[in-house]
Amino acid sequence: YRNGRCRECAQFDSRNQWATDEKRRKHSSEYHKAKNAAIPEDVKKERNRRIVLARFRLTKEQFDQMQEAQNGVCAICFGPPGGRWGVLVVDHDHATDTIRGLLCNLCNRGIGALRDDPEVLDRAAAYIRKYRRFTCEDERDADGRSILRGRV
């Protein structure tokens, strides 16, 4: 909803009323879920990709170059694309809007939850290392994510 108007059907109501009214919940759950269920997943995925590219002023070629430079995997965990759409997401600095790279949804949400603060990320890593019960042999599972083997 933007300016109190539903983006899909253009139905208008004030933002406050939409936020609190049972009518909004009913409208969303009935109208939009039925409408979105009829859209093929590949169309949804491409629509989402166009929105993301426009948001960051990237061309499809630039995005593909970034993905190729990272071998199609997350820049942090080296795992495959994941999340709802099965694609890597554009990670950016919220202060400057500078693009940093492509991440899987979990890593992007993780660094966002820690406020993109390197000191907080370092403390979180130290905390995990302190309480780790396993030694890391840097083995990977079938999806390419790091797994831990062996007991200390």
Side-chain angles (χ1 to χ4, degrees):
Y1 293 89
R2 181 173 285 167
N3 298 324
R5 188 177 298 276
C6 174
R7 292 183 195 183
E8 297 292 327
C9 67
Q11 186 173 339
F12 184 79
D13 214 331
S14 71
R15 185 176 297 264
N16 289 337
Q17 185 175 356
W18 277 116
T20 59
D21 194 4
E22 177 64 28
K23 183 172 69 172
R24 177 182 184 259
R25 287 189 292 278
K26 188 173 182 181
H27 173 79
S28 293
S29 64
E30 291 175 6
Y31 178 84
H32 294 292
K33 286 182 184 178
K35 185 174 179 182
N36 285 332
I39 300 172
E41 287 300 314
D42 58 332
V43 173
K44 290 180 189 176
K45 185 175 179 178
E46 185 56 32
R47 180 174 61 184
N48 184 60
R49 180 178 171 141
R50 283 195 316 268
I51 291 168
V52 169
L53 294 179
R55 159 75 174 87
F56 293 105
R57 296 181 180 94
L58 286 174
T59 65
K60 184 179 183 304
E61 292 76 23
Q62 290 171 320
F63 182 88
D64 291 341
Q65 281 179 332
M66 291 173 64
Q67 195 166 16
E68 186 177 321
Q70 290 182 203
N71 297 317
V73 298
C74 174
I76 294 177
C77 72
F78 305 118
R84 181 176 182 182
W85 306 111
V87 296
L88 294 172
V89 297
V90 178
D91 176 47
H92 67 288
D93 184 318
H94 290 263
T96 64
D97 248 7
T98 304
I99 296 172
R100 295 187 284 220
L102 303 176
L103 302 178
C104 70
N105 193 43
L106 288 174
C107 288
N108 190 47
R109 291 174 66 191
I111 64 171
L114 296 173
R115 298 177 298 281
D116 294 347
D117 186 335
E119 286 80 28
V120 174
L121 290 164
D122 289 342
R123 287 193 300 271
Y127 175 83
I128 291 170
R129 284 188 197 99
K130 180 179 176 180
Y131 292 102
R132 184 187 299 181
R133 292 185 175 180
F134 300 96
T135 59
C136 181
E137 296 174 8
D138 200 28
E139 294 184 27
R140 306 241 173 234
D141 64 10
D143 292 330
R145 297 208 186 264
S146 186
I147 58 173
L148 304 175
R149 297 273 183 212
R151 295 227 174 229
V152 174

